Amino acid sequence: MLKAIRAAHPQQVPDEIRALYAQAFPKEEQIPWDDLLRLMEEMPLLVTAYYDGETFVGFTVVYPRQHANWFWYFAVVPTLRGKGYGQQILTGLLAEYEGQTLVLDIESPEQPSDNREQRRRRHAFYLRNGFRDTHVGKTYDNIAYTILTNSDEPFTMTHYEALLSDLWRFWQPER
Protein backbone atom coordinates (compact mmCIF):
# COMPACT_ATOMS: atom_id res chain seq x y z
CA MET A 1 0.00 0.00 0.00
CA LEU A 2 1.41 3.35 -1.00
CA LYS A 3 1.41 6.38 1.25
CA ALA A 4 0.47 9.62 -0.52
CA ILE A 5 1.68 12.93 0.89
CA ARG A 6 0.14 16.03 -0.63
CA ALA A 7 2.18 19.23 -0.49
CA ALA A 8 0.05 22.23 0.48
CA HIS A 9 2.80 24.80 -0.05
CA PRO A 10 5.91 24.91 -2.25
CA GLN A 11 8.21 24.57 0.76
CA GLN A 12 6.54 21.20 1.51
CA VAL A 13 7.48 19.70 -1.86
CA PRO A 14 10.00 16.92 -1.14
CA ASP A 15 13.42 17.28 -2.78
CA GLU A 16 12.93 13.87 -4.41
CA ILE A 17 10.17 15.33 -6.58
CA ARG A 18 12.48 17.98 -8.04
CA ALA A 19 15.12 15.38 -8.85
CA LEU A 20 12.64 12.98 -10.49
CA TYR A 21 10.95 15.85 -12.34
CA ALA A 22 14.28 16.85 -13.90
CA GLN A 23 15.10 13.23 -14.76
CA ALA A 24 11.74 11.94 -15.98
CA PHE A 25 10.62 14.73 -18.31
CA PRO A 26 12.45 16.20 -21.28
CA LYS A 27 13.54 19.79 -20.68
CA GLU A 28 11.07 21.08 -23.29
CA GLU A 29 8.20 19.47 -21.34
CA GLN A 30 9.16 20.98 -18.02
CA ILE A 31 7.79 24.16 -16.60
CA PRO A 32 10.87 25.75 -14.99
CA TRP A 33 11.00 24.54 -11.38
CA ASP A 34 10.74 27.99 -9.79
CA ASP A 35 7.73 28.77 -11.99
CA LEU A 36 6.11 25.48 -11.04
CA LEU A 37 6.52 26.30 -7.35
CA ARG A 38 5.07 29.78 -7.94
CA LEU A 39 2.14 28.29 -9.85
CA MET A 40 1.54 26.00 -6.89
CA GLU A 41 0.93 29.12 -4.78
CA GLU A 42 -1.30 30.82 -7.37
CA MET A 43 -3.25 27.87 -8.75
CA PRO A 44 -4.98 24.99 -7.00
CA LEU A 45 -2.31 22.50 -8.11
CA LEU A 46 -2.26 19.22 -6.23
CA VAL A 47 1.32 18.00 -5.90
CA THR A 48 1.51 14.54 -4.33
CA ALA A 49 4.52 12.40 -3.43
CA TYR A 50 4.08 8.63 -3.13
CA TYR A 51 6.06 6.37 -0.79
CA ASP A 52 6.36 2.67 -0.15
CA GLY A 53 7.32 2.84 3.51
CA GLU A 54 10.15 5.38 3.52
CA THR A 55 11.06 4.79 -0.14
CA PHE A 56 10.01 7.55 -2.54
CA VAL A 57 8.43 5.95 -5.60
CA GLY A 58 6.94 8.82 -7.58
CA PHE A 59 4.77 11.89 -7.80
CA THR A 60 1.81 13.45 -9.55
CA VAL A 61 0.73 17.01 -10.30
CA VAL A 62 -2.97 17.50 -10.99
CA TYR A 63 -4.74 20.75 -11.84
CA PRO A 64 -8.29 20.22 -10.55
CA ARG A 65 -10.89 22.07 -12.58
CA GLN A 66 -14.66 22.12 -12.59
CA HIS A 67 -15.14 20.46 -15.98
CA ALA A 68 -11.95 18.46 -16.44
CA ASN A 69 -9.09 17.71 -14.06
CA TRP A 70 -5.83 18.16 -15.93
CA PHE A 71 -3.32 15.47 -15.11
CA TRP A 72 -0.06 17.43 -15.61
CA TYR A 73 2.77 15.24 -14.44
CA PHE A 74 3.04 11.62 -13.36
CA ALA A 75 6.40 9.94 -12.81
CA VAL A 76 7.72 6.84 -11.09
CA VAL A 77 11.40 6.48 -10.11
CA PRO A 78 13.05 4.76 -13.10
CA THR A 79 14.50 1.86 -11.07
CA LEU A 80 11.01 1.15 -9.66
CA ARG A 81 9.13 1.15 -12.97
CA GLY A 82 7.49 -2.11 -13.95
CA LYS A 83 6.90 -3.09 -10.31
CA GLY A 84 3.25 -2.00 -10.13
CA TYR A 85 3.76 1.38 -8.48
CA GLY A 86 2.44 3.35 -11.45
CA GLN A 87 -0.62 1.11 -11.51
CA GLN A 88 -1.24 1.69 -7.78
CA ILE A 89 -0.85 5.45 -8.14
CA LEU A 90 -3.17 5.66 -11.14
CA THR A 91 -5.75 3.38 -9.50
CA GLY A 92 -5.73 5.67 -6.47
CA LEU A 93 -6.14 8.77 -8.61
CA LEU A 94 -9.01 7.25 -10.56
CA ALA A 95 -10.72 6.41 -7.25
CA GLU A 96 -10.07 9.92 -5.90
CA TYR A 97 -11.59 11.50 -9.02
CA GLU A 98 -14.31 8.90 -9.55
CA GLY A 99 -17.14 10.29 -11.66
CA GLN A 100 -14.99 13.24 -12.76
CA THR A 101 -13.23 13.83 -16.04
CA LEU A 102 -9.45 13.47 -16.20
CA VAL A 103 -7.47 14.74 -19.15
CA LEU A 104 -3.81 14.18 -19.84
CA ASP A 105 -1.45 14.81 -22.70
CA ILE A 106 1.42 12.48 -23.49
CA GLU A 107 4.12 12.38 -26.11
CA SER A 108 2.57 10.90 -29.23
CA PRO A 109 3.41 7.24 -29.73
CA GLU A 110 3.24 7.87 -33.48
CA GLN A 111 5.90 10.59 -33.68
CA PRO A 112 9.30 9.22 -34.66
CA SER A 113 11.60 9.59 -31.66
CA ASP A 114 14.37 7.92 -29.70
CA ASN A 115 11.86 6.83 -27.04
CA ARG A 116 9.06 5.70 -29.31
CA GLU A 117 8.70 2.30 -27.64
CA GLN A 118 8.46 3.96 -24.22
CA ARG A 119 5.77 6.28 -25.61
CA ARG A 120 3.83 3.29 -26.96
CA ARG A 121 3.99 1.50 -23.60
CA ARG A 122 2.82 4.65 -21.80
CA HIS A 123 -0.08 5.08 -24.25
CA ALA A 124 -1.08 1.42 -23.82
CA PHE A 125 -0.87 1.76 -20.00
CA TYR A 126 -3.41 4.56 -19.99
CA LEU A 127 -5.70 2.79 -22.46
CA ARG A 128 -5.66 -0.34 -20.25
CA ASN A 129 -6.67 1.84 -17.32
CA GLY A 130 -9.82 3.38 -18.68
CA PHE A 131 -8.50 6.28 -20.71
CA ARG A 132 -9.26 6.72 -24.37
CA ASP A 133 -7.44 8.51 -27.13
CA THR A 134 -9.39 11.64 -28.07
CA HIS A 135 -7.69 11.80 -31.48
CA VAL A 136 -6.92 15.41 -30.58
CA GLY A 137 -3.29 16.37 -30.62
CA LYS A 138 -1.02 19.35 -30.47
CA THR A 139 2.60 19.96 -31.31
CA TYR A 140 4.60 22.13 -28.96
CA ASP A 141 8.37 22.68 -29.20
CA ASN A 142 8.54 20.00 -31.92
CA ILE A 143 6.96 17.38 -29.67
CA ALA A 144 3.64 15.94 -30.80
CA TYR A 145 1.21 15.30 -27.97
CA THR A 146 -1.75 12.96 -27.88
CA ILE A 147 -4.59 13.89 -25.54
CA LEU A 148 -6.32 11.17 -23.52
CA THR A 149 -9.37 11.30 -21.27
CA ASN A 150 -11.30 8.92 -19.05
CA SER A 151 -14.61 10.44 -20.17
CA ASP A 152 -16.92 9.14 -22.87
CA GLU A 153 -17.92 12.73 -23.67
CA PRO A 154 -16.54 14.25 -26.89
CA PHE A 155 -13.25 16.08 -26.45
CA THR A 156 -12.14 18.64 -29.01
CA MET A 157 -9.27 21.03 -29.57
CA THR A 158 -11.54 23.75 -28.14
CA HIS A 159 -11.66 21.81 -24.86
CA TYR A 160 -7.88 21.48 -24.84
CA GLU A 161 -7.39 25.16 -25.66
CA ALA A 162 -9.59 25.99 -22.64
CA LEU A 163 -7.22 23.99 -20.43
CA LEU A 164 -4.22 25.81 -21.88
CA SER A 165 -5.94 29.15 -21.50
CA ASP A 166 -6.31 28.50 -17.77
CA LEU A 167 -2.60 27.87 -17.53
CA TRP A 168 -1.63 30.93 -19.59
CA ARG A 169 -3.59 33.15 -17.19
CA PHE A 170 -0.96 32.31 -14.57
CA TRP A 171 2.15 31.58 -16.61
CA GLN A 172 3.42 32.56 -20.02
CA PRO A 173 6.79 31.04 -20.86
CA GLU A 174 9.51 33.26 -22.23
CA ARG A 175 9.85 32.87 -25.98
Side-chain angles (χ1 to χ4, degrees), residues 12-164:
Q12 294 176 328
V13 175
D15 291 337
E16 298 103 335
I17 289 180
R18 183 177 188 166
L20 180 55
Y21 179 73
Q23 180 183 22
F25 299 97
K27 188 75 170 162
E28 52 275 356
E29 290 184 30
Q30 296 176 25
I31 293 173
W33 185 253
D34 289 341
D35 288 340
L36 186 59
L37 293 179
R38 181 184 55 77
L39 289 173
M40 194 177 161
E41 290 181 339
E42 297 174 8
M43 301 171 70
L45 293 181
L46 301 177
V47 179
T48 307
Y50 299 89
Y51 294 86
D52 184 353
E54 297 300 313
T55 303
F56 173 72
V57 297
F59 77 94
T60 57
V61 178
V62 177
Y63 178 27
R65 300 176 64 254
Q66 182 177 1
H67 300 293
N69 301 291
W70 191 4
F71 199 4
W72 272 13
Y73 294 106
F74 175 14
V76 171
V77 173
T79 58
L80 299 176
R81 292 179 188 154
K83 299 183 185 307
Y85 289 115
Q87 183 68 61
Q88 288 181 56
I89 292 168
L90 185 58
T91 298
L93 283 170
L94 290 170
E96 181 178 348
Y97 292 98
E98 185 174 3
Q100 299 176 47
T101 298
L102 286 173
V103 174
L104 58 93
D105 45 11
I106 61 172
E107 296 168 311
S108 172
E110 302 307 317
Q111 182 182 29
S113 66
D114 292 341
N115 70 337
R116 194 168 185 188
E117 185 55 35
Q118 179 187 42
R119 291 177 180 200
R120 287 181 173 163
R121 285 192 312 269
R122 184 179 304 125
H123 187 255
F125 169 76
Y126 286 115
L127 294 179
R128 280 193 313 273
N129 284 283
F131 284 81
R132 69 175 178 82
D133 195 321
T134 65
H135 302 290
V136 173
K138 182 143 179 101
T139 300
Y140 187 74
D141 281 347
N142 296 317
I143 298 174
Y145 293 91
T146 297
I147 301 160
L148 306 173
T149 183
N150 67 335
S151 172
D152 291 330
E153 296 296 317
F155 189 90
T156 66
M157 184 54 77
T158 302
H159 294 106
Y160 189 64
E161 293 293 342
L163 290 172
L164 291 174

